[in-house]
Amino acid sequence: MNYPNRRHLIAGLSALSIAACGVPAPANQSSQQAAVPSDLLPVENPGFRNWLAGFRPRARRAGISAATLDAALAGAGYVPGVITRDRTQIQTRRTLEEYLSIATSDERLAKGRAAMARYGTTLNAIAARYGVSAHIIAAIWGLESQFGEKRGNIPVISATATLAYDGRRASFYESQLIAALRILERGETTPDRMLGSWAGAMGHTQFIPTSYEAFAVDFDGDGRRDVWGADPTDALASTAAYLSRNGWRSGLKWGAETGTGGPSGRTIQPQRGGVQFTVTRNFNVIKTYNNSDFYAIAVGHLADRLGGAGPLRGSFPPDANGMTRADRLALQRGLAARGYDIGTVDGVIGGKTEAALRDFQQRQGLPVDGRATLEMLSRLR
Ligand code: CA
C-alpha cells in the first residue's frame, strides 16, 4: 500500500502537542469523560445534507447496503470542530528538538515503562510472530495514543464524512468513509463503537479505515479485529503486521544518533544545525506509517529510551529568539516558581507558557507580547 496512514503526520503531531485525540464522546454515548466541546457535536448543515444525499448512491455502488448506510448515517452529522482542527493543525510546525521533547517527555516515558511492564508478554508474543521490535511497537502506541489513553472519541463516520464534504482532500476522505462503512457492513464493529480522532484515525495505534482493512489482525483469537476497545492486543499486533508487510527487516535497528556506534546507513539532519542521525531501511518502514522524518526519529528514539537508552548526546541550535532548550527550560522553571501553570516543563513554548509570560510582562509594566526571549529569561532568573 503506497498511500498508508498519511494522516498520521498531522494527527500524530496534534496528539503530541494538543491532545487532539481523546476528546470526550458525544452526549449519547457512555464515556468516562465529561462535557463535550460544543464544536465537536454534529450540527445541522444544509450543504452537508445535500452532499450526503449525493453520497448515498456512490456508497451503494461501492457495495454498501442500504441497511448499513441507514444505521451508520442515522446519528452522523457535520462536526465543525473537525474542520477547525484540520485547518489549525497545518499551521503548527514544531522543530525536531521540540517534537522530541514532547515525544520523550518524562510523563510519556513513565507511562511507556508501565505499559511495557503490563503488556510485556503480549508485546513479546507479537514481536516474535511478526519479527518487529517490541519497543518500536510500544513507541508507536505511545506516540499515537499515549499508550491507549487518547484513542479518540469522535464518531469516525461523522469525522470522515465532514472532511469528505469539506472538500480539501475530498477523495481521500471519501475513500476513508467508504472503508469505514465496509467495516460496519462486515460487522467488525458498530457505529457507536467506531470512534477515533478528528481525522478518522482509530484506536490505540490510530489506524485509518483503509489501513484497518488492509492490515488489522485478530491476534487474541476471539474472532474480531478490535482496535477500538480497552485491550490493546489486536491494535499492537495490527501495527506489527503493518510494519512487517511494509518491509521491516527483523533484528535491524531503525538507526541511531550519528557517531554513537549505531548501524551503518544514510545520514540525515532533519533540523539544520541539529543532531545528525544515521538511519537504516527500517527507518523508511516507520515512515510508511507516517511519512515524516520527525515522526520516524521520534518513534525510534522513544523505542530506544523505553529500552533503557539515555537522551541524545548532541544538541540543537538556538531558536528564533536566541534561546537554547536549556534557556527555555530555565524560563519555564522561573515562571513555575512564580506560581504560573505552564503545563509540563519541557522546553517547548506553548500557549500556557505564552499566557504566563504575558501576565508576567503586564505585571512588570513591560510590552506584552508573550515572547520567550533572553531578556525575559534574565528577568525571571
Ligand atoms: Ca480479537
Side-chain angles (χ1 to χ4, degrees):
M1 169 177 233
N2 56 12
Y3 198 45
N5 296 2
R6 59 181 293 282
R7 292 296 302 161
H8 277 124
L9 169 58
I10 292 161
L13 275 166
S14 80
L16 286 174
S17 56
I18 55 166
C21 306
V23 296
N28 65 345
Q29 283 159 2
S30 63
S31 170
Q32 66 278 37
Q33 295 171 72
V36 184
S38 59
D39 71 332
L40 288 172
L41 290 172
V43 299
E44 181 52 32
N45 180 325
F48 178 78
R49 285 286 145 207
N50 284 340
W51 177 86
L52 210 52
F55 169 75
R56 279 190 67 109
R58 297 200 292 279
R60 295 284 287 117
R61 285 197 293 278
I64 310 299
S65 70
T68 294
L69 275 170
D70 288 344
L73 300 178
Y78 178 82
V79 180
V82 165
I83 299 303
T84 51
R85 279 159 183 73
D86 184 39
R87 297 266 152 88
T88 53
Q89 200 51 54
I90 304 295
Q91 297 153 14
T92 313
R93 296 296 295 181
R94 299 225 176 264
T95 66
L96 177 61
E97 183 183 36
E98 292 171 326
Y99 196 105
L100 290 177
S101 295
I102 297 166
T104 58
S105 65
D106 291 345
E107 180 189 18
R108 198 182 310 266
L109 288 173
K111 287 179 175 171
R113 290 184 189 113
M116 290 208 64
R118 181 170 178 191
Y119 293 104
T121 305
T122 299
L123 282 163
N124 287 337
I126 291 167
R129 168 90 62 92
Y130 295 99
V132 177
S133 151
H135 291 110
I136 291 287
I137 301 165
I140 289 175
W141 186 22
L143 292 189
E144 295 294 342
S145 71
Q146 186 90 305
F147 306 99
E149 271 185 22
K150 297 174 178 173
R151 305 198 294 279
N153 268 342
I154 301 178
V156 170
I157 298 296
S158 287
T160 53
T162 296
L163 289 161
Y165 160 69
D166 181 57
R168 282 206 308 162
R169 289 178 297 280
S171 68
F172 173 74
Y173 280 110
E174 184 159 322
S175 69
Q176 297 306 321
L177 173 58
I178 294 278
L181 290 164
R182 276 197 303 262
I183 294 166
L184 296 173
E185 181 85 34
R186 288 192 300 268
E188 302 204 72
T189 190
T190 52
D192 62 313
R193 285 175 50 86
M194 187 185 249
L195 305 176
S197 76
W198 58 265
M202 310 184 296
H204 289 267
T205 52
Q206 297 283 282
F207 265 38
I208 55 175
T210 50
S211 291
Y212 174 93
E213 287 199 292
F215 299 106
V217 296
D218 171 27
F219 193 79
D220 64 10
D222 70 350
R224 300 176 57 240
R225 304 189 291 174
D226 182 5
V227 301
W228 302 276
D231 183 335
T233 303
D234 284 356
L236 298 177
S238 298
T239 298
Y242 184 105
L243 297 175
S244 173
R245 297 249 311 265
N246 279 284
W248 185 271
R249 183 173 290 176
S250 182
L252 178 67
K253 264 185 69 73
W254 67 275
E257 186 176 353
T258 303
T260 61
S264 59
R266 162 177 68 111
T267 299
I268 60 170
Q269 186 183 42
Q271 182 179 342
R272 184 181 300 183
V275 177
Q276 294 187 340
F277 300 87
T278 300
V279 299
T280 70
R281 58 174 274 160
N282 279 349
F283 178 82
N284 292 321
V285 177
I286 298 170
K287 284 179 67 176
T288 68
Y289 210 85
N290 178 340
N291 188 21
S292 155
D293 282 352
F294 284 20
Y295 178 83
I297 289 170
V299 167
H301 184 51
L302 177 57
D304 290 348
R305 298 295 302 275
L306 291 173
L312 296 174
R313 297 183 199 173
S315 60
F316 290 88
D319 63 22
N321 293 319
M323 300 270 281
T324 64
R325 179 162 192 267
D327 294 332
R328 295 190 297 271
L329 288 168
L331 178 134
Q332 288 181 320
R333 289 196 194 99
L335 287 167
R338 282 168 173 77
Y340 288 105
D341 170 19
I342 53 94
T344 311
V345 176
D346 56 6
V348 179
I349 305 299
K352 284 184 172 179
T353 302
E354 288 172 355
L357 279 169
R358 282 194 293 273
D359 184 84
F360 177 74
Q361 288 166 331
Q362 189 163 28
R363 287 166 192 273
Q364 299 277 313
L366 299 167
V368 177
D369 61 10
R371 283 177 64 204
T373 61
L374 290 165
E375 190 206 336
M376 297 312 302
L377 173 58
S378 68
R379 288 176 181 274
L380 284 159
R381 270 203 159 117

